[in-house]
Amino acid sequence: EGRQLPLVALIRAGPGRQERWEYDPLVQFLADRGYAVLQVNGRGSSGFGPAFARAGRLDRGMKPITDVADAIQWTIKRGIADPARVAVVGAAGFGGYAALMLAATEPSLVRAVAAVRPFVDWTKGERLAKLDPVYAGFFASWIAGDTQPDDATLQRLSPAFQVDHIKAAVLLIDDKEWGGYAFGRTKSLADELAKRGRKARFLTNLKGVFDGSESTRQQYEAIEALLSGHLNPSP
């Protein structure tokens, strides 16, 4: 029954994940604090047939991201969401990547973005395979596709090269202990955002991604601080 609510689009893990009506502690955490939470089964999600899953790979994996943008507009047109109070939270890998790319492609729509261990740079594809299997797997399946993209395309798909387009306040969450290629690139992105005067915070020295440990509380508090500072949630 809520109207003109601050909205958080929550993007979880890989694009093949199917969002379901089930308990999710992060969803309940956000809803408890006055946010409408949007979860989208965009193209690429499992459970809707092979054609729907394959459709997510169109435009080198950008279709699941544009589907989230369309769903946000749907909530605005229905009067559920306040267009001036929209944020995106991306939880791990693709989720963090999608959140940043949504902020880059919809700069007038997204006010705040939180990205957890995001994929940020596809321009060193060969290094990905050696340094981070998760990064490499998504690159091979979604970004590279049937034909190797040129450098310009890889830069267009990399948040690291879209800093000038990201106008939202940004929270980046990553840690060396999580390993792989991601951490160094996430830190570089945080540095580049700061150089351009963006409101950016880099949270590190953590144990796991929403694993129930003390670091989970730190991550939730950081996300809450970002959102309350830029979306002015309902009491």
Side-chain angles (χ1 to χ4, degrees):
E1 297 177 357
R3 308 289 292 176
Q4 297 294 306
L5 297 170
L7 176 75
V8 177
L10 178 60
I11 308 175
R12 284 284 203 177
R17 172 190 169 98
Q18 182 183 154
E19 299 289 358
R20 300 178 180 178
W21 287 106
E22 60 189 10
Y23 177 79
D24 183 313
L26 181 54
V27 172
Q28 297 305 316
F29 176 84
L30 295 170
D32 176 70
R33 282 147 177 79
Y35 301 100
V37 182
L38 174 67
Q39 296 169 275
V40 180
N41 282 313
R43 282 168 286 185
S45 300
S46 61
F48 301 96
F52 191 81
R54 287 194 300 270
R57 290 171 169 78
L58 297 173
D59 194 19
R60 303 198 183 271
M62 282 296 294
K63 293 304 181 186
I65 299 172
T66 58
D67 286 348
V68 176
D70 289 344
I72 292 173
Q73 293 293 354
W74 178 85
T75 66
I76 292 171
K77 290 178 181 178
R78 290 179 66 87
I80 298 169
D82 180 347
R85 296 191 293 166
V86 174
V88 187
V89 174
F94 170 80
Y97 165 70
L100 289 168
M101 287 303 295
L102 192 55
T105 55
E106 300 286 347
S108 63
L109 179 63
V110 179
R111 295 288 305 276
V113 54
V116 182
R117 198 186 182 232
F119 301 146
V120 299
D121 187 356
W122 302 117
T123 60
K124 297 178 177 62
E126 293 181 0
R127 292 189 64 197
L128 303 182
K130 298 177 181 178
L131 298 176
D132 193 323
V134 176
Y135 222 116
F138 185 85
F139 178 82
S141 299
W142 292 80
I143 302 299
D146 297 329
T147 59
Q148 181 66 28
D150 58 24
D151 290 343
T153 298
L154 291 176
Q155 291 182 14
R156 174 178 67 85
L157 298 172
S158 298
F161 292 87
Q162 301 301 317
V163 176
D164 289 335
H165 299 290
I166 298 175
K167 309 301 182 184
V170 177
L171 168 66
L172 296 170
I173 300 176
D174 210 336
D175 194 85
K176 288 182 179 179
E177 288 194 10
W178 300 348
Y181 175 76
F183 178 79
R185 301 306 298 149
T186 306
K187 185 178 185 305
S188 295
L189 177 59
D191 291 343
E192 289 300 318
L193 287 165
K195 287 179 183 178
R196 288 163 172 77
R198 303 289 192 272
K199 295 177 181 178
R201 180 185 178 190
F202 184 41
L203 181 64
T204 186
N205 297 322
L206 305 168
K207 296 298 181 182
V209 180
F210 305 142
D211 62 355
S213 67
E214 171 63 17
S215 66
T216 299
R217 182 184 63 80
Q218 293 176 284
Q219 292 167 65
Y220 276 33
E221 287 180 347
I223 291 171
E224 181 178 23
L226 171 80
L227 299 177
S228 63
H230 298 280
L231 266 62
N232 187 25
S234 304

